[in-house]
Structure formats: C-alpha cells, structure tokens
C-alpha cells in the first residue's frame, strides 16, 4: 500500500512540476499571472515533502523560516513586503530546471565499448563530462561514472576528472542552472558578457587537472570514449538558443532555454516510442527534482526577507567598500566557497549575498561572474555538493578523499577567478 501511495504521489507531483513550467512560460507571453505557476510549485513541494531527504528538509525549513521572520520584521518596521515576489522569485530558475531535466532522456548510448587510456582517455573523459554535462547536466556524471567504475568504485584521478569536468560547466554554460541563478540575482546581466571569463575559467580547470593527473601515472588512466556524434545535440541546442536570442532580443535567455530544451529532448531522445518514454518520465522521474524545488522556493522567500530588512535598515549591513574591488571579490568569493564546503547549496549563499552586494554598484555582469565562479569552484571541491555526494554514495569515495583531492584545486581556481575579475571587469 505504501508503494502504491508513493507511486501516486510521484505521478501527481510530476504533473504539478510540469505545469509549473508550462504556466510560467505562458505567463511570459500571455496575460496569465505567475501565481498559477507558484501554486503548482508549492503544491509539488508539499506533496513530496515526506519523501525529501533530511538534509533537504533542514535547509529548506531553515531558509523558509528565516525568510518569513525577516519579512515579518520588515513589515513591523515599515519596510516593503512583497509577498508575491517572495512566492514567485525563483520561478524562472525552476522552469529552466524542469526543462533541462528532460535532456537526461538524450543520454549517450553505451554501444561503444572501447576504453581510451592515457592522455587520450583523460581528455576524452574530461571533454565528455564538460561538454555533455554543460547541456544534459548531472545525468552525465552517472553515465560516465557507471561506465568507468570497477566494483562500484572509481579511482581518485577518475573522481577528480569527473567532478571538475562536470562542475566547471557552471562557469559558462547557459544550460546550467548556475547561469539561471546568476542572471536572476544579477538583474541586467547578459550571458554573452560572462561567457568569455567563464571559458577562461574552464580552460584553467582543464590545464590544472591535466597537470595534477600527469604527476601520477597518466598512462594508466582509463577513460570514457567521447564520440563526435554525441556532440551534435549540445551544438545544435546551443546554436538554436543563440540564434533565437539574437532574433528575439526581448525574450530572456532563460525563457528561450526553457522552450528549446524540452523540444530538443524529444527530438534527440534515444528511447522509442517517444510519447511512452515522456509519459514514463513525467509519472515516475520528474518528481525527483522536488528537493531542488523546495530549496529554490525557500531561497526565494529568504532572499526577499533579506531585501525587505535591508530596505528598512539600509545601513544595517554594509561593506567597508564603495565598489566590488578585486580584494572585495577575493574575500566574498572565498567566504562563499568555504560555506559550500559544509554543504550549503550555492543558491543559498547567492540569495544571501546578492542584496548585500547590490549597494556596491558593481556591474550586473561582474556580479554574475562572481556567482558563477563560486558555483563552479565550490561544487567541484565540496564532498557535500550534489556531485560530491554522488561520488560518495554511488562510487565509494569518502568525504575526506574528495576534499583532499580538490583542496589545492579550489585555492588555485579561487585565485584565478579573482585575477580574471581584475583583468576583465
């Protein structure tokens, strides 16, 4: 009976999550209020709440509770209280998250049983995790990890390459949720203006990782085969998004991605028949994003609460700086990365820091790059990030080994990000 109820709950939550995206996209072009989408999103969280992990419940509850208290405090002292904004703030992100999740249906097939080794194996694995992960997101970690694991375990070097290759997609890819978060919390930022610094960070990641792997016996590295035909889908989707963004300049990049991604998923999906596969995904697997829904919705309430309080007390929290200088960038990004090491999701630290950094008058693009650099570096280094937990729970890594493997990398990329900020912004 419990299994039956769980199945019914997952099915209902899956459709609520889907209609969250549909209603939000409709509200972008039609006179339809965003509250319809918000109702579906909050309803999905309530329905799936019993099934969420303890960590998800704790973080979401704390953020939501603090947000409500801050909104109440702001109201008592005469500050602005935008309840609608609090309930709907992160809907663009959730819509994008839903849309991009369908791309997991296009996972590479396992027909190629070859296993490149040495330098070729390294670059092939890094390229697969980075280029494919930049579009189909976390599912590529399991595709590559399952293929390379022996007895359910990855080598230390394979763990490094998979974590860094995947997470560094956050530096530049518009299909990464990190991009949506950065654009949402840096109003006015343009993805075209962050792609160059983001790609520089990705190149730095690749060179540093190659150097570290080369310190060992790189000729023994066993990698994942990256075929050219598997790159067709990412290239086609990215091209369509860029062309549409050029033609329809008033349509936000997140909205374009949210429209293009599901269509691309249907076109490139491997499973047949397509409609049956889509139905199965919605009814069974789409509810898996409910933990992200809970965290992002709660973060929106929390950020709105912080903003309300800061408007009531504008001098309550202030940096002793008049602009986002390289030193301020270094200190703020360092603190945010350290926070990520203890399992705090980047969206939490970003939702907190965005209203605090706004008075510094930094350009929206610079602020967005700060958030993207923190996301890409922090998640690749933390054993408690999504990909870090995947390495531990699925591939028998330990928290200590993940942190030890990536600590030096974290420091170097943190300093490089500051340098890129200093030179380009």
């Amino acid at each position: 009976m419990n299994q039956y109820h769980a199945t019914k709950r997952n099915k209902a939550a899956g459709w609520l999550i889907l209609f969250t995206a549909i209603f939000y996209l409709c509200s972008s072009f039609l006179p339809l209020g965003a509250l319809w989408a918000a109702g579906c999103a909050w309803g999905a969280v309530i329905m799936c709440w019993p099934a969420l992990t303890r960590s998800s419940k704790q973080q979401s509850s704390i953020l939501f509770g603090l947000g409500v208290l801050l909104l109440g405090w702001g109201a008592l002292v005469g500050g602005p209280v935008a309840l609608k904004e609090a309930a709907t703030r992160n809907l663009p992100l959730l819509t994008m998250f839903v849309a991009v999740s369908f791309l997991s249906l296009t996972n590479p097939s396992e027909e190629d049983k070859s296993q490149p080794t040495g330098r070729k194996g390294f670059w092939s694995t890094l390229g697969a995790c980075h280029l494919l992960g930049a579009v189909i997101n976390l599912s590529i970690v399991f595709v590559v990890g399952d293929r390379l694991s022996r007895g359910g375990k990855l080598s230390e070097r394979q763990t490094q390459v998979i974590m860094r290759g995947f997470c560094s997609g956050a530096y530049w890819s518009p299909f990464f949720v990190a991009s949506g978060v950065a654009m949402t919390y840096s109003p006015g930022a343009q993805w075209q203006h962050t792609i160059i610094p983001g790609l520089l960070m990705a190149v730095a990641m690749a060179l540093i990782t190659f150097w570290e792997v080369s310190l060992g016996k790189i000729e023994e590295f066993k990698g994942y085969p990256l075929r050219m035909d598997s790159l067709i889908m990412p290239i086609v989707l990215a091209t369509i998004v860029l062309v549409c963004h050029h033609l329809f300049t008033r349509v936000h990049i997140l909205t374009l991605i949210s429209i293009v991604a599901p269509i691309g998923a249907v076109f490139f999906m491997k499973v047949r028949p397509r409609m049956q596969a889509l139905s199965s995904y919605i009814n069974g697997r789409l509810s898996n994003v409910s933990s992200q829904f809970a965290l992002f919705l709660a973060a929106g309430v929390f950020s709105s609460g912080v903003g309300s309080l800061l408007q009531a007390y504008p001098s309550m929290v202030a940096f002793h700086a008049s602009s986002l200088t390289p030193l301020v960038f270094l200190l703020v990004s360092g603190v945010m990365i350290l926070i990520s090491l203890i399992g705090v999701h980047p969206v939490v630290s970003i939702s907190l820091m965005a209203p605090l950094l706004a008075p510094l008058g930094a350009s929206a693009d610079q602020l967005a790059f700060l958030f993207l650099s923190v996301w890409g570096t922090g998640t690749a280094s933390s054993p408690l990030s999504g990909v870090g937990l995947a390495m531990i729970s699925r591939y028998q890594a330990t928290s200590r080994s993940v942190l030890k493997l990536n600590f030096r990398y974290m420091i170097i990329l943190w300093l490089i990000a500051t340098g890129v900020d200093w030179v380009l912004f």
Side-chain angles (χ1 to χ4, degrees), residues 243-252 256:
V243 171
C244 290
H245 190 53
H246 177 73
L247 296 176
F248 308 104
T249 55
R250 294 187 178 182
V251 181
H252 199 282
L256 289 174

Side-chain angles (χ1 to χ4, degrees), residues 270-344:
K270 305 290 190 298
V271 185
R272 298 292 188 276
R274 287 187 172 93
M275 291 307 298
Q276 182 178 335
L278 284 172
S279 177
S280 176
Y281 181 79
I282 296 169
N283 291 328
R285 294 167 53 194
L286 190 54
S287 61
N288 292 340
V289 306
S290 56
S291 59
Q292 285 81 12
F293 262 51
L295 182 62
F296 279 51
L297 287 171
V301 174
F302 175 68
S303 182
S304 296
V306 172
S308 175
L309 198 64
L310 288 178
Q311 289 187 57
Y313 299 103
S315 60
M316 181 178 177
V317 179
F319 290 98
H320 296 291
S322 58
S323 62
L324 188 56
T325 63
L327 179 59
V328 174
F329 185 102
L330 181 75
L331 295 176
V332 171
S333 60
V335 170
M336 294 175 73
I337 291 172
L338 287 176
I339 290 175
S340 72
L341 292 183
I342 61 174
V344 177

